[in-house]
Amino acid sequence: MKDVFVRLATDFLSALIFLAVYLVTDSVVLATSVAIATAIAQVIHARLKGRSLPFMTYASLGLVVVLGAATLLTHDPRFIFAKPAIAHFAVAIFMLRGGWMLRYVPPIVAETIPEYVTVAGYAWSALMLALGIGTIAVAATGDLKLWALYITVVAGGTKIAAFAIQLIAFRLIVASRIRAARA
């Protein structure tokens, strides 16, 4: 479970850094420049540590650089605000593959309730799509405080709540199936 939260923080580190620098300095240019540098430094650090990086890491870097450049050219933070939405859409598309989540659950869950895991995978895809649409809507306002609230509280909180609900549901269903099999 700790790994999930570390991965989420790592994936959104450049957005969090952007937000922190922007709130402290009120400078779109500085915040965007630091966010781009952070994304590049993350990739360099991982490569120096010998970690193989998945496609999504490079896609995220590309988005930060392209959207960051658009933000720097226009001095409009809405471009960098949209980055999490694009990431949500990409993840939603990946999650449309049936059974993708089976490799991420404990073997007892994958063996006992694979049909529920597959349905949950599609539900996660729908959630990511909805959060991406919400992020675009909020980014379009250009309101930094609203965007920060949405990204941290709404999007982050929704994912944590969905994960907790899924964890409890899977445990209850697996336990029920095991009890039924023993009876």
Side-chain angles (χ1 to χ4, degrees):
M1 175 115 126
K2 179 182 152 190
D3 291 341
V4 171
F5 294 115
V6 169
R7 183 71 185 149
L8 280 173
T10 301
D11 288 347
F12 291 102
L13 183 63
S14 62
L16 296 172
I17 295 291
F18 170 85
L19 177 61
V21 173
Y22 189 76
L23 288 173
V24 170
T25 67
D26 198 34
S27 170
V28 172
V29 173
L30 180 60
T32 302
S33 300
V34 173
I36 292 170
T38 299
I40 292 169
Q42 279 183 285
V43 170
I44 291 170
H45 179 263
R47 298 297 296 166
L48 289 175
K49 292 282 187 178
R51 294 186 199 129
S52 63
L53 298 172
F55 168 77
M56 286 303 289
T57 301
Y58 290 109
S60 180
L61 173 64
L63 284 173
V64 169
V65 171
V66 169
L67 295 174
T71 294
L72 290 173
L73 291 172
T74 63
H75 295 281
D76 186 348
R78 289 181 289 187
F79 290 104
I80 207 77
F81 288 178
K83 188 253 181 197
I86 296 167
H88 280 112
F89 294 144
V91 169
I93 290 168
F94 169 79
M95 290 177 169
L96 285 174
R97 285 188 1 225
W100 70 267
M101 197 162 48
L102 288 167
R103 66 185 256 186
Y104 296 103
V105 297
I108 191 165
V109 174
E111 294 164 6
T112 308
I113 57 168
E115 68 279 13
Y116 286 94
V117 176
T118 299
V119 169
Y122 290 127
W124 274 100
S125 178
L127 176 63
M128 291 299 133
L129 178 63
L131 290 174
I133 291 168
T135 302
I136 290 291
V138 171
T141 70
D143 183 338
L144 174 67
K145 290 179 183 173
L146 180 61
W147 178 80
L149 176 71
Y150 183 83
I151 291 299
T152 57
V153 176
V154 176
T158 301
K159 290 174 202 165
I160 292 168
F163 182 77
I165 290 166
Q166 175 183 298
L167 180 67
I168 292 166
F170 282 0
R171 284 179 182 234
L172 291 173
I173 296 167
V174 167
S176 174
R177 289 253 175 113
I178 290 172
R179 278 192 306 273
R182 288 182 185 159

